[in-house]
Amino acid sequence: KAGVTQTPRYLIKTRGQQVTLSCSPISGHRSVSWYQQTPGQGLQFLFEYFSETQRNKGNFPGRFSGRQFSNSRSEMNVSTLELGDSALYLCASTISAGHEQYFGPGTRLTVT
Amino acid sequence: AQSVTQPDIHITVSEGASLELRCNYSYGATPYLFWYVQSPGQGLQLLLKYFSGDTLVQGIKGFEAEFKRSQSSFNLRKPSVHWSDAAEYFCAVKGNSGGSNYKLTFGKGTLLTVNP
């Protein structure tokens, strides 16, 4: 079974721009979660989607948004990029809340 | 709120030596517990998990972890470390009910260096 895939793997954007990251979960997994990883803050939960609905959201500003499609693929969008948004963005999928999460390789976003 | 503490930021061991990485958690009941490993520039790979039952759990790559409720700990161990084990290790907790069971809360990680 193929693992979680994320595209693109690397991205360089300028402050003020917006960016969209994509995640394809493991086949059969309907829940997709997003995490931000930075050296200073570590791994932080962004949001979780299940069956095209955002069920939960972490403590991030409204510039961070996401969506999930009927095939469980998910995208996250960051608008009006700030230097502090530079991070590794990780997507994870799971069958359900009571199961383990499997992570993709991440998208490395650099904001200049 | 749930939280995880990994007291050791960086550990160095010699190849072939034993390893123990510490993890303490805070949660009102028995949570779901996990250990993940991350190599540079990569995502997180699940090493092992504890949901219930036997408190000593076996994982991949020869790792094991022991859940100790009285100490709120979930330490990761390996009897003989290989050079390829050099990576960063994250302990994580997830609630098992209600509004806390959707997200993982991670520790800050322990960076493992293996000397030849």
Side-chain angles (χ1 to χ4, degrees):
Chain A
K1 208 180 245 190
V4 178
T5 59
Q6 292 187 246
T7 56
R9 291 292 310 278
Y10 303 92
L11 208 48
I12 301 175
K13 289 288 188 178
T14 303
R15 193 169 43 183
Q17 289 184 315
Q18 74 165 16
V19 66
T20 299
L21 313 181
S22 179
C23 170
S24 293
I26 293 171
S27 177
H29 287 194
R30 295 169 64 191
S31 171
V32 173
S33 298
W34 289 88
Y35 295 81
Q36 181 196 64
Q37 186 178 25
T38 60
Q41 298 300 315
L43 284 149
Q44 294 184 287
F45 171 78
L46 279 157
F47 29 64
E48 184 242 357
Y49 287 86
F50 182 85
S51 293
E52 302 179 64
T53 300
Q54 184 183 89
R55 292 199 297 190
N56 299 285
K57 192 177 192 308
N59 294 325
F60 279 83
R63 299 186 297 106
F64 291 81
S65 64
R67 58 177 175 169
Q68 187 180 33
F69 301 95
S70 59
N71 61 359
S72 294
R73 189 177 71 84
S74 176
E75 289 181 347
M76 69 163 281
N77 183 277
V78 187
S79 62
T80 319
L81 284 165
E82 300 177 359
L83 296 178
D85 297 333
S86 294
L88 181 66
Y89 290 88
L90 293 163
C91 166
S93 75
T94 182
I95 291 177
S96 70
H99 292 77
E100 61 273 22
Q101 294 183 11
Y102 292 91
F103 284 79
T107 295
R108 171 72 63 186
L109 172 64
T110 302
V111 182
T112 62
Chain B
Q2 58 207 45
S3 65
V4 176
T5 301
Q6 293 181 247
D8 304 306
I9 296 173
H10 187 192
I11 284 182
T12 300
V13 300
S14 298
E15 191 169 17
S18 64
L19 172 70
E20 182 168 28
L21 302 182
R22 296 183 291 164
C23 171
N24 292 96
Y25 68 89
S26 174
Y27 183 69
T30 301
Y32 296 150
L33 294 161
F34 308 85
W35 275 98
Y36 286 87
V37 61
Q38 185 178 38
S39 297
Q42 301 299 313
L44 301 174
Q45 182 182 22
L46 179 66
L47 283 176
L48 47 77
K49 64 192 180 200
Y50 174 79
F51 285 176
S52 65
D54 193 348
T55 57
L56 185 63
V57 294
Q58 303 296 321
I60 62 171
K61 304 185 179 188
F63 285 94
E64 67 178 26
E66 186 171 13
F67 169 61
K68 292 186 177 181
R69 184 193 311 273
S70 61
Q71 299 176 20
S72 296
S73 69
F74 188 56
N75 294 347
L76 181 71
R77 300 194 294 250
K78 187 169 184 178
S80 178
V81 170
H82 188 261
W83 64 267
S84 60
D85 293 325
E88 192 157 21
Y89 291 79
F90 293 92
C91 180
V93 64
K94 186 156 77 85
N96 57 23
S97 65
S100 63
N101 66 348
Y102 58 88
K103 70 171 184 178
L104 288 168
T105 298
F106 288 89
K108 294 294 188 183
T110 297
L111 181 64
L112 174 65
T113 298
V114 180
N115 287 333

